[in-house]
Amino acid sequence: MTERDPAAATLGATRRLMWLLVVPMLLLLAVLTMLQWRQLQADARAQLERRVDERAQELSALVRPAIEHVDDLRTMLETLWEAPPDAGPALRLALAPRLVHGRPDGWSLDGASREQREQLGQMWWAPPDGSPPPEVWLRRAQAFLTQARVVHRRTAAFEATWFAGTDLNTSFGYPWVATSRITETLGVPSLTAMAPLRAQATARSRVRLEANPFERARWGPPYTSQLHGALVVSYSAYVFARGEHVGEVSVDVRLDDLQERLARWQDPAGRDWIVDEKFQVLADSRQAPAAPAGAGQGNRVVTLSMQERLPAGLGRAQVEAALRQEGRPLQHDGWVIAAQARANSPWAYVSVVPEAALTARLLPALLPNALIALALLAMFVAGQWLLSRNFVDPALRVLAYLRELSRREDAPAPTVGARWQPWLEAVRETFRRQRELQRRERQQEAFKSAIVDNALAAIVATDPEGRIVEFNPAAEVMFGHRRAEVLGRSVGAVIIPERFRAAHEAGMKRMREGAPARMMGKRVEMAALRADGSELPVEMALWRAQAEGQAHYIASMTDLSARNAAAQQIEQQREALRQSEKLSAMGSLLAGVAHELNNPLAIVMGRASLLEEKCADDAALRGDVQRIREAAERCGRIVRTFLNMARHKPPERRSVQLNDLTRAAAEMLAYTFRSHGIELLLELEADLPEVRADADQIGQVVLNLLVNAQQALAAQEPRAGLVRRVRVATGVEARRENREPRVWLRVSDSGPGIAPALRDKIFEPFFTTKPEGIGTGLGLAVSRALVREHGGQLQLESGTDGATFRLSLPISGERDDATEPGRLGPPDDGPAARLLVVDDEPELADLMRQMLEGAGFEVATAESGAVALELLGEARFDAIVSDLRMPDMDGAALWRAVRERQPALARRMLFVTGDTLSPGAERFLAESRCASLDKPFARDDLVGRVHELLAR
């Protein structure tokens, strides 16, 4: 048998190895391609799901303005129904009789001027007797039309807003539309002839109310608008006054706006729809819904069934199934369906895409994989030939030369290409350097010895038995032993404290037996022993080294005494810093709470000032109101010291049982009462009704009352016959006229009581009768504030031994002393300056409006800076009164926008704020040079600042 050529064997082995590499790589590429295909399909479905989810979210956002608009108008009408405000004679003067063929046909605004139509919209009144509308209806209509006009000017999607009466043949709405067009689209000859249609609509509404009394609003089906004949959907709400159904408010939303949005949203390869809850089509990406033409089509419901527009093979059942999957795609008969609707939206977004279209989009992504596979095959075929020619054969000749050179130094060099010459040189150089390396090894040993001898860390080496074989100079200094004295001795007896030696010996035994070392390769802090018997903290790093076939253990140790002392000092400084930060955070928290009180205090002071003017004829009532105002002003002075702080968490009210809160507080303090020899008696009424309150706040009040009683009794000097007793009782007050039932809690103690001179001060903040270091003086003040927030009372009862505090809470947890503000009198004669009031809190904006209108100014309000800019673009104003801190666009941003548009008006801006002490507010007021007014403020302060502003 002939011996096989080593070169041929190596070449064959190389080829087999290359195929063993390429085949798995091709298989791996195929698997990756299949996984990528699945991932691409999943990504495409996820993208479709995200798109449908985004569109459903946008649809939900589109319906929200309509819902809010109708709810605002309904609330306004129900609030002002009995006594609507007088907005002037504009509507009364513009309303005129309507004639049809020379005969009276009610009243309308058909004859109004273009400016009046833009301002007032349309109102028609057609009772059977032909009488003009009463003044109260004119006021209701004008209030309605004014608010509708503002909303329509900023919402292009709204077609029209209307109010329709139930028992009267009247309607009013915005924008203006000729009554002749209304009668034409409804197919009736006159306004009077609309009475039967109105009666039928009222009857249908009342039938719906009887069937579902809780349905106060609804979305209607698509129908033809009376205004432009376009398709719209209507959102309407019932209006109730005195418990009776008096009319309906509705807003028409144009479907062409939905159609335009759908055209932008649609998938070019599929088809999209927007449908309502009954699967009526509102918008179609391929075939836009069309309104019927011709007379008598107004208010005609248009039926656009989605079933008729779905592709073949799909039906309503598949769409409903897709909706139940909440946006996740559903496959059916070659189509991919995705649909979703938000819970608060009446419309759903439906998208249908052919599976073939999705597949066509994904195939190009797999083309790189196919090209990679072809390139991989070509590369490996060419690589086999190149590897054999340029690497395998020359490498075998070089290896043979290496074997020969190892036998004799004068071995002849083989003939190889130029690229292999460096390898030949490397082989010759290898043998030359071998002797050089031996010399360098000896030199390195000397270097290592020098490093160990001069290292600042103590280095101690031991043999497998734990005997010291190396002890460098740094170890001599650290432990106080001379090297010669410790060589050969056990390391445990030299540097390890006696209490740790048993553990050390056990660890050395485990390592000799082959167990892994627990501390090997780690930095470990431990205690070490000096020659004088004292201990020191060290950081040790242990590693293993092989020497002459034996394992030796080397430890590098650093003295931690100085570092530990520095760390202790740093920790002390860090603790001091934490205490400082706690104090700073507490100050920030208190000031933040004070800042949040500014707005309600401003409302209290303002309302008190207005009420004080109205009580000029009643001296007693005026005195009470004056005391309220003075108290509010005092609070205002106090809270000015607590600015630049964080907000407080709002309370969470729910139904709670006062007896349960009392028992919980009693159980918490039971040990404290017993340890001080105090008897706690609970006399809680059974079946006490629940109250709506914040359990944490009311529980804290009860706990504070019990703690005060315990501390008062504990402070008494022991004497014969002294009885220390706290009695807690609960019950229900007898019903009073014009006041809801209340539950009460009484805490009585047998202590010394409260001196008469101090009874009026105990509820003041920071006032305390306790010794220094016990209490802060805030307990009773905060407790009374919490109780009053719940509409209750906390008071100290008189005529009892000891101290008795009585807490009462209304069952609803709400205040029952709210009063309805009256209207201010008319302004003085003469031209009135026009003011714009901007505040994101409606109550505060309304308060400033009433104050300024009472001073003779003409006032408009805006709930944000953006709305204020819109009003500035539509009307002229002489000055602006604005809050400084508002969401979105704050007062500073509003001032900069006004400065760019109307520089003169920017110099007549007054900023009302409760945060003038913050650095940002100070910098802005210094930059703008505008006037400011701190919250809370009085009416005279506000009016005076405005007069100063207008005098500039």
Side-chain angles (χ1 to χ4, degrees):
M1 183 175 179
T2 60
E3 183 178 357
R4 188 178 181 185
D5 184 10
T10 304
L11 180 59
T14 303
R15 289 176 177 176
R16 289 192 297 273
L17 178 62
M18 293 181 67
W19 280 111
L20 288 176
L21 291 175
V22 70
V23 171
M25 292 184 68
L26 290 174
L27 291 176
L28 177 61
L29 182 61
V31 172
L32 292 177
T33 302
M34 182 176 62
L35 294 177
Q36 183 180 3
W37 173 252
R38 292 184 178 180
Q39 184 62 42
L40 289 173
Q41 289 180 320
D43 292 344
R45 298 177 188 279
Q47 182 179 5
L48 179 60
E49 182 177 351
R50 287 193 300 272
R51 184 171 69 87
V52 171
D53 180 73
E54 292 172 358
R55 302 305 176 244
Q57 180 65 30
E58 292 186 36
L59 287 179
S60 177
L62 286 176
V63 303
R64 192 176 301 116
I67 295 174
E68 293 174 353
H69 176 48
V70 170
D71 288 347
D72 291 344
L73 291 175
R74 177 184 63 185
T75 302
M76 180 198 70
L77 287 175
E78 291 178 347
T79 303
L80 305 177
W81 189 263
E82 295 298 332
D86 185 4
L91 181 59
R92 185 185 312 107
L93 296 177
L95 201 65
R98 183 177 185 274
L99 299 178
V100 177
H101 304 300
R103 300 179 63 183
D105 186 34
W107 301 72
S108 71
L109 293 177
D110 289 347
S113 64
R114 181 175 181 181
E115 291 76 10
Q116 289 174 324
R117 295 174 181 176
E118 290 290 332
Q119 188 74 10
L120 299 175
Q122 177 63 285
M123 175 185 181
W124 55 265
W125 174 275
D129 57 1
S131 60
E135 180 65 23
V136 67
W137 275 98
L138 292 175
R139 293 186 180 185
R140 293 168 185 164
Q142 191 155 356
F144 179 93
L145 294 171
T146 299
Q147 184 166 337
R149 180 184 69 250
V150 173
V151 175
H152 270 266
R153 288 183 176 178
R154 67 188 183 207
T155 310
F158 290 173
E159 172 82 355
T161 301
W162 284 93
F163 169 81
T166 55
D167 297 328
L168 291 174
N169 189 15
T170 182
S171 288
F172 40 83
Y174 192 89
W176 180 88
V177 59
T179 56
S180 59
R181 180 172 180 81
I182 296 175
T183 58
E184 178 185 354
T185 57
L186 291 177
V188 295
S190 62
L191 294 177
T192 307
M194 290 177 60
L197 298 179
R198 179 56 49 82
Q200 294 173 4
T202 300
R204 288 193 298 270
S205 297
R206 288 175 175 170
V207 169
R208 281 193 295 267
L209 280 174
E210 291 177 0
N212 188 1
F214 299 101
E215 181 188 40
R216 295 302 180 93
R218 68 184 188 280
W219 284 91
Y223 71 95
T224 306
S225 169
Q226 300 174 358
L227 188 60
H228 297 111
L231 279 182
V232 296
V233 288
S234 176
Y235 177 73
S236 59
Y238 300 115
V239 179
F240 290 86
R242 304 181 304 276
E244 298 180 356
H245 175 209
V246 298
E248 295 185 21
V249 176
S250 64
V251 61
D252 293 340
V253 180
R254 295 177 62 94
L255 292 186
D256 54 4
D257 181 68
L258 291 181
Q259 186 65 36
E260 292 176 2
R261 291 177 181 272
L262 189 62
R264 297 194 300 269
W265 296 345
Q266 69 170 341
D267 188 327
R271 189 168 180 180
D272 300 340
W273 298 271
I274 298 175
V275 298
D276 61 13
E277 297 173 345
K278 296 182 179 180
F279 289 91
Q280 294 296 309
V281 175
L282 305 181
D284 187 337
S285 62
R286 296 287 182 86
Q287 181 182 357
Q297 299 297 332
N299 286 355
R300 177 183 173 184
V301 175
V302 180
T303 301
L304 302 171
S305 175
M306 185 181 184
Q307 179 66 42
E308 302 173 356
R309 297 177 176 235
L310 287 171
L314 296 180
R316 177 172 174 175
Q318 286 74 39
V319 178
E320 292 177 344
L323 283 173
R324 287 194 296 271
Q325 294 194 167
E326 297 182 350
R328 295 189 299 274
L330 174 70
Q331 288 180 290
H332 182 79
D333 199 16
W335 295 89
V336 178
I337 312 171
Q340 189 170 6
R342 288 289 189 269
N344 57 351
S345 174
W347 304 335
Y349 182 82
V350 181
S351 181
V352 175
V353 181
E355 289 187 26
L358 291 179
T359 303
R361 294 176 184 175
L362 303 180
L363 287 177
L366 300 180
L367 182 59
N369 293 39
L371 295 178
I372 291 174
L374 293 176
L376 190 61
L377 286 174
M379 180 183 67
F380 274 95
V381 171
Q384 289 185 9
W385 179 76
L386 292 174
L387 183 64
S388 175
R389 181 176 180 274
N390 297 320
F391 294 97
V392 176
D393 291 344
L396 292 175
R397 289 194 290 271
V398 172
L399 288 176
Y401 173 65
L402 179 60
R403 288 194 297 268
E404 188 66 22
L405 190 61
S406 63
R407 299 190 188 99
R408 55 192 182 94
E409 295 182 4
D410 58 347
T415 302
V416 294
R419 69 179 62 183
W420 288 94
Q421 289 298 326
W423 290 93
L424 294 177
E425 295 293 335
V427 170
R428 286 192 290 266
E429 184 68 16
T430 298
F431 285 95
R432 185 187 65 79
R433 288 188 178 184
Q434 186 174 7
R435 293 183 295 274
E436 180 69 17
L437 289 176
Q438 293 175 351
R439 183 185 64 80
R440 289 183 179 180
E441 286 180 1
R442 293 190 294 271
Q443 185 179 10
Q444 288 178 358
E445 290 295 331
F447 287 159
K448 292 177 181 179
S449 178
I451 291 173
V452 172
D453 291 342
N454 294 280
L456 297 179
I459 298 177
V460 179
T462 67
D463 61 12
E465 302 299 325
R467 294 184 294 268
I468 297 175
V469 296
E470 181 58 56
F471 200 83
N472 75 337
E476 293 180 334
V477 175
M478 182 180 296
F479 299 108
H481 292 286
R482 297 180 61 84
R483 181 175 184 273
E485 297 174 351
V486 299
L487 290 179
R489 294 177 56 187
S490 172
V491 68
V494 176
I495 64 174
I496 296 179
E498 185 175 357
R499 62 183 184 277
F500 300 129
R501 289 174 185 171
H504 166 73
E505 295 297 336
M508 293 294 296
K509 182 179 179 181
R510 285 196 305 270
M511 288 189 291
R512 286 195 298 270
E513 294 174 352
R518 299 175 181 175
M519 297 186 298
M520 195 71 66
K522 302 178 182 178
R523 293 184 179 273
V524 181
E525 294 187 12
M526 57 180 293
L529 183 67
R530 293 192 181 97
D532 58 3
S534 62
E535 295 184 5
L536 72 157
V538 298
E539 181 183 71
M540 181 188 72
L542 180 67
W543 65 93
R544 192 199 314 260
Q546 294 290 333
E548 298 179 355
Q550 288 188 336
H552 287 66
Y553 301 95
I554 304 172
S556 172
M557 289 170 281
T558 305
D559 190 351
L560 299 180
S561 301
R563 193 189 76 176
N564 289 353
Q568 183 177 5
Q569 184 177 5
I570 291 173
E571 181 61 27
Q572 293 174 351
Q573 295 175 352
R574 186 180 291 112
E575 180 63 24
L577 179 60
R578 281 197 293 267
Q579 295 298 329
S580 175
E581 291 176 347
K582 288 181 181 178
L583 294 177
S584 176
M586 181 61 70
S588 298
L589 178 61
L590 291 176
V593 173
H595 172 67
E596 289 300 321
L597 291 176
N598 279 329
N599 284 345
L601 277 177
I603 296 173
V604 172
M605 290 178 58
R607 292 297 182 188
S609 298
L610 296 176
L611 188 58
E612 188 175 357
E613 294 178 359
K614 300 174 183 177
C615 301
D617 298 332
D618 190 338
L621 184 57
R622 181 181 179 89
D624 291 340
V625 175
Q626 184 177 3
R627 284 190 288 275
I628 293 174
R629 177 179 54 77
E630 292 174 351
E633 290 175 349
R634 180 186 177 193
C635 292
R637 291 192 298 272
I638 293 174
V639 300
R640 286 193 184 98
T641 62
F642 297 104
L643 295 177
N644 296 328
M645 311 297 173
R647 295 181 181 270
H648 194 277
K649 176 185 176 183
E652 297 180 359
R653 298 191 182 184
R654 61 182 186 275
S655 295
V656 297
Q657 177 57 255
L658 186 59
N659 284 348
D660 294 342
L661 300 180
T662 305
R663 293 189 187 96
E667 291 177 359
M668 185 180 301
L669 298 175
Y671 175 79
T672 303
F673 274 73
R674 290 195 304 271
S675 63
H676 288 85
I678 300 173
E679 181 182 6
L680 179 60
L681 300 179
L682 299 181
E683 299 175 356
L684 308 180
E685 180 175 340
D687 300 326
L688 193 69
E690 293 184 341
V691 296
R692 185 167 180 80
D694 185 284
D696 293 338
Q697 293 181 348
I698 300 303
Q700 184 62 39
V701 172
V702 176
L703 186 65
N704 184 62
L705 294 178
L706 292 178
V707 170
N708 287 348
Q710 177 266 323
Q711 292 177 349
L713 293 175
Q716 287 184 289
E717 293 292 335
R719 64 179 184 274
L722 176 63
V723 178
R724 295 178 175 177
R725 179 182 297 114
V726 175
R727 188 184 305 274
V728 182
T730 61
V732 182
E733 289 184 358
R735 180 180 292 275
R736 304 183 189 180
E737 184 179 358
N738 297 328
R739 173 166 157 173
E740 69 172 309
R742 294 190 173 202
V743 297
W744 56 265
L745 176 139
R746 182 179 284 108
V747 179
S748 305
D749 63 65
S750 60
I754 298 175
L758 303 178
R759 297 178 71 89
D760 295 334
K761 298 182 179 180
I762 60 172
F763 288 103
E764 294 180 4
F766 305 106
F767 177 83
T768 180
T769 60
K770 301 174 185 176
E772 183 177 358
I774 300 178
T776 62
L778 290 174
L780 287 176
V782 173
S783 296
R784 172 176 274 188
L786 293 176
V787 173
R788 287 179 174 176
E789 287 179 2
H790 287 74
Q793 294 178 349
L794 178 63
Q795 57 190 10
L796 173 65
E797 294 186 344
S798 58
T800 61
D801 295 332
T804 300
F805 288 85
R806 185 178 185 273
L807 162 69
S808 64
L809 292 171
I811 294 178
S812 67
E814 301 293 337
R815 298 178 182 269
D816 56 4
D817 54 354
T819 58
E820 192 69 21
R823 293 194 301 112
L824 297 176
D828 297 336
D829 294 336
R834 301 187 68 185
L835 305 179
L836 176 60
V837 174
V838 186
D839 200 300
D840 61 313
E841 292 200 14
E843 181 64 24
L844 195 54
D846 184 64
L847 171 65
M848 289 190 286
R849 179 186 61 77
Q850 293 190 28
M851 286 181 172
L852 295 171
E853 286 181 347
F857 296 106
E858 182 181 347
V859 183
T861 61
E863 65 272 18
S864 65
V867 176
L869 292 178
E870 292 182 6
L871 293 176
L872 288 174
E874 298 173 359
R876 179 192 62 80
F877 293 97
D878 299 307
I880 299 176
V881 180
S882 173
D883 191 6
L884 188 56
R885 291 181 59 180
M886 295 184 294
D888 298 331
M889 176 180 284
D890 59 3
L894 176 61
W895 175 78
R896 294 185 177 94
V898 173
R899 182 179 61 178
E900 294 179 359
R901 302 181 181 186
Q902 302 182 34
L905 183 59
R907 293 190 294 271
R908 295 193 301 276
M909 293 183 69
L910 172 64
F911 289 99
V912 180
T913 180
D915 194 18
T916 54
L917 296 182
S918 69
E922 290 182 353
R923 287 194 299 269
F924 167 69
L925 293 175
E927 174 192 354
S928 63
R929 299 183 180 179
C930 290
S932 66
L933 179 62
D934 292 345
K935 298 176 185 176
F937 51 82
R939 175 184 179 278
D940 294 340
D941 296 335
L942 177 61
V943 175
R945 288 295 180 91
V946 173
H947 280 300
E948 294 175 3
L949 198 65
L950 294 173
R952 291 186 176 183

